[in-house]
Amino acid sequence: MESVVQEKRLTFKDYKSDYKPVWCPGCGDFSVLAAITKALAELQVPREQAAVISGIGCSSRIPAYTSVYGFHGIHGRALASATGLKVARPDLTVVATGGDGDGFSIGGNHFLHACRRNVDITYVVMDNEVYGMTKGQASPTTPPDWEGSKLTPHGTGVSPFNPLSVALSAGASFVARGFAGDPNGAAKLITQAMQHKGFSFVQILSPCVTFRPEQTEWKKIVRKGEIEETGNLSQAAAFLARDDGFSTGVLYEVQRAVFQPALQEKHTLQEIEESFEL
C-alpha cells in the first residue's frame, strides 16, 4: 500500500523573511505585516505564486519583510506596477501595500484609475494621517486643525481626503477598513479582499505613535461598522457620508467584470523593434 505524503501546511511565519522590521516601537505596521502573512497562510497561497508590491514610505517596506516575491517601487507607483504584473501574470496573487501619503497624494491618480479599472489585485493602505518617514508632515488624510508639523504649525486648513468614499465613487468593487490594533480582524478583512475577484481596497488605521502619539486613543473609538447590505452602493455611500472614519469591516462588495486583457503570444525582440519603426 502506497504511503500518502501530506504536505506541510504553511503558517504566517513561513511568509516572513529573515529581515527584522525597523519600524518605530509601537508602530501599527507591525500588526499589518502580521495580518498580511496570516491572510496568505489562511489561503495557503504558494510563496512562489504571491507578490507584494509597494511604493515609498514606512509601510512600503513590507515586501522586504515577506518571503514571497516583492518589488519596492518608486513613490506613488505601487498600483501601476501591481496592475502591470497582474495583467501579465493573472495566475499570481498580487498585493500592493503603501501609506496614506504614497497612495493618496503622489499616487492619487493611480488610485482613482485602479478603482475603476477593476484588475484583480488587493491594495492595503496603512493610514496614520502623517508622513512618518519624512519626520511628521501632514498627509492627505490629516485633519485640517492638526498643528503638530513644523511645515503647518497652524494646521493645514485643507479638507482631509476620504479614501473609502473616493474608492466607492471611483468604482472599487471591494471597500473595507480595519484597525492595526485588531490584527486578527485585519487579517480576516485582507483574506476576504484576496478572495474577492476584482480590485479590493483595504484601509488599515495604523497609528504612528512617534509623530501622532494621540492616535493611541484610536483603540477606544474604533468599532464595527453596521451595514446590512454591502452590495448596495447607495447605502454604502450614505453610511460613509456620515461615518467619522472609525467604523471597520467590509463596507462595500459587489461582483463585476474584472479587467484582464487577453494575453498575446510572445514576440521576439526583433519583432518588437520592427513594430516601432516609422
Side-chain angles (χ1 to χ4, degrees), residues 38-79:
K38 285 180 180 179
L40 290 168
E42 175 65 25
L43 298 175
Q44 288 295 287
V45 180
R47 286 181 293 178
E48 70 277 10
Q49 291 294 315
V52 179
I53 314 298
S54 71
I56 295 295
C58 298
S59 54
S60 293
R61 298 175 181 271
I62 281 187
Y65 303 146
T66 62
S67 62
V68 302
Y69 284 111
F71 182 76
H72 193 170
I74 59 176
H75 205 189
R77 305 300 187 262
L79 288 176

Side-chain angles (χ1 to χ4, degrees), residues 55-177:
I56 295 295
C58 298
S59 54
S60 293
R61 298 175 181 271
I62 281 187
Y65 303 146
T66 62
S67 62
V68 302
Y69 284 111
F71 182 76
H72 193 170
I74 59 176
H75 205 189
R77 305 300 187 262
L79 288 176
S81 301
T83 296
L85 176 60
K86 183 63 179 183
V87 168
R89 287 289 305 275
D91 56 307
L92 297 181
T93 295
V94 178
V95 179
T97 63
D100 42 300
D102 180 74
F104 308 140
S105 184
I106 192 170
N109 223 18
H110 292 295
F111 177 57
L112 291 175
H113 296 292
C115 288
R116 73 184 189 88
R117 191 173 288 117
N118 202 40
V119 173
D120 186 19
I121 59 179
T122 298
Y123 187 33
V124 180
V125 175
M126 284 141 273
D127 191 350
N128 53 22
E129 300 180 355
V130 73
Y131 282 94
M133 195 172 75
T134 47
K135 312 308 179 189
Q137 296 99 320
S139 84
T141 56
T142 302
D145 57 351
W146 182 64
E147 301 177 349
S149 171
K150 293 180 179 179
L151 293 179
T152 52
H154 305 294
T156 66
V158 179
S159 297
F161 189 86
N162 189 325
L164 272 62
S165 292
V166 171
L168 194 68
S169 61
S173 55
F174 183 99
V175 178
R177 182 190 288 130

Side-chain angles (χ1 to χ4, degrees), residues 2 18 33 50 53 56 96 109 183 201 241 266:
E2 295 183 2
D18 294 331
L33 172 62
I53 314 298
I56 295 295
N109 223 18
F201 170 55
K266 293 182 179 179

